[in-house]
Amino acid sequence: MTENKRGKLLIVGFGPGSEQHMTARAKEAILESDSIIGYNTYIDLIRPLLTNQEIVRTGMTEEVSRAQEAVKQAESGKVVAVISSGDAGVYGMAGLVYEVLIEKGWKEETGVAVEIIPGISAINSCAALLGAPIMHDACTISLSDHLTPWELIKRRVEAAAQADFVIALYNPRSGRRTKQIVETQQILLQYRSPKTPVGLVKSAYRERQVVIMTDLESMLEHEIGMLTTVIIGNNSTFMYDGKIITPRGYQRKYTLAAEEQPLKPHQRLKEEAEPWAMHQGQAEQEIQKTTSVLELAEEALEKVVGKSEVAATAVQEKRVSFQQTAVFEFAVSPGIVSKKLSPKQMLTLVETVGEEATIEYTPDHQLKVSVETNDPNGITEKLRAEGLLLLPIGDVVTIKACDFCDGEKADSIPQAEELQQLIGGDSVPKQLHIGFNGCGMACYGAPMNDIGLIYRKKAFDLFIGAKITGRNAHVGQLVAEGVAPDKIVELVVSIVNDYKKRGLPNERFHKFFKRVQIVEGFTYKEVPDQVVVDAVCGD
Ligand code: SAH
């Protein structure tokens, strides 16, 4: 055979079905081919792209003869496109074509040319329609026992279920093959919560597309057929606003759950919310075998190679238990007024969070604690009982009060405490510092905060919009003097509420003030006023 007569096999994955989701190379390949071989439905899907290619239509189960025919035609010098939906290498024609070629002693150098053209497989197209269910380790399992023994498929389902893979089930069910999906659900229920999110996508990116969000226990109540892909979440997968989302990692960070700061669904670490993932109770801890990832992998492998048959009841006992280590972060201080940690409090802190925790001293007169735990409440209870003040961290309101000269200048303490109670720890667009100083000396630097308060002459001076960091750091603008004690808390709360309402995500308070120009009647000035600070400690 001379070089220019050498035929070519183009093994094309044309994606889910719509032309938009087909690669440019797949379209080109269809155009450059002399003949096209594929299952009837597939030919119909690419019909708009056809010019004058010869069409070889075959039925569903004639894959081997399709591959043989393609090789025969290529050997006669033709350019032949063999088409598969999705990706041709995923339960498609690519492997079969190679098998036929290999049987004939084909070698790349001397035989017909072969090009495999990748396409978007159903796991990806269907995932996109569901949200972001894949994200983490995932696998595909075809439930078709046409070419694979059912016993082996079952073992794979079990291994994947046990190892907490997100699973995409291809060929879940056909007119004749109906029991496989039922048995699969039963196996999965031994390892995952009945509430595990499940997505059913039929005919993704085709005319009769149907997307259904359900869960493991109810999935069989919906139509599942030959054109459906079933995506089953792992133990961290959650449903949010009609989307299925699997977080990127198992290690989760969360801070104190103030009422004003509802945790996102996947951050809910309460046992009621995730009974299968977190067994905190004593009794449950006894039953639960906390299985290491390595042990799980070994067990899964054992199942695949068939070393042991595990009785269904034994499996039941092992139901889940990925202890999802979560990092709990919070701030601790001796209180809004007190700046002194007693040795007893220090001891309790260390004993409660343990030696593995990180304790960081922050510029906000707080100790920031990071600790791996699945029992945040146990920790907070012990620390609070010792008189420590616990606060959330992140983009929240932090009240930084002075020590009121060790309590000697105590007149304004009630306002500081009230502010802490009303808005301390509240979520805001970006971390917000409120500096609160009990006399004109302002030795804790109140005006150098987003909002600064100085108690002086039985009333308050109010500063807003300091730029706390950077080379062009500056104090806040003095916007009011002599605000009465019974008005100040309300005023500060209104300013913070306005910032909560109109501030953009991540917008620092001074930028917000500059952008909106007027906050609670106070007008932004480009150059902050020169502030004359009283030199004498007192009022
Ligand atoms: N090669 C294809 C898979 C062929 S097996 C691919 O990579 O996607 C056939 C199975 O693929 C179907 O039973 C269904 O589970 C899945 N599938 C293929 N196209 C699909 C689509 N558009 N929407 C939903 N599922 C699809």
Side-chain angles (χ1 to χ4, degrees), residues 16 85-87 90 121-122 126 170-171 201 203-204 206 226-229:
S85 72
D87 183 86
V90 180
S121 186
C126 298
Y170 283 58
N171 300 303
V201 182
S203 300
R206 296 185 195 171
M226 294 243 291
L227 294 171
T228 310
T229 296

Side-chain angles (χ1 to χ4, degrees), residues 474-489:
H474 57 74
V475 296
Q477 212 174 293
L478 176 60
V479 292
E481 281 180 297
V483 182
D486 61 345
K487 292 280 179 300
I488 190 69
V489 172

Side-chain angles (χ1 to χ4, degrees), residues 23 26 94 102 112 119 141 190 237 241 291 312 344 353 396-397 404-405 414 430 435 479 482-483 489 499 537:
T23 65
I102 289 165
V112 295
I141 300 177
Q190 290 171 6
T237 305
D241 196 22
T291 322
K344 178 107 188 301
V353 301
V396 295
V397 176
F404 301 86
C405 294
K430 191 80 191 166
V479 292
V483 182
V489 172
Y499 174 49
C537 186

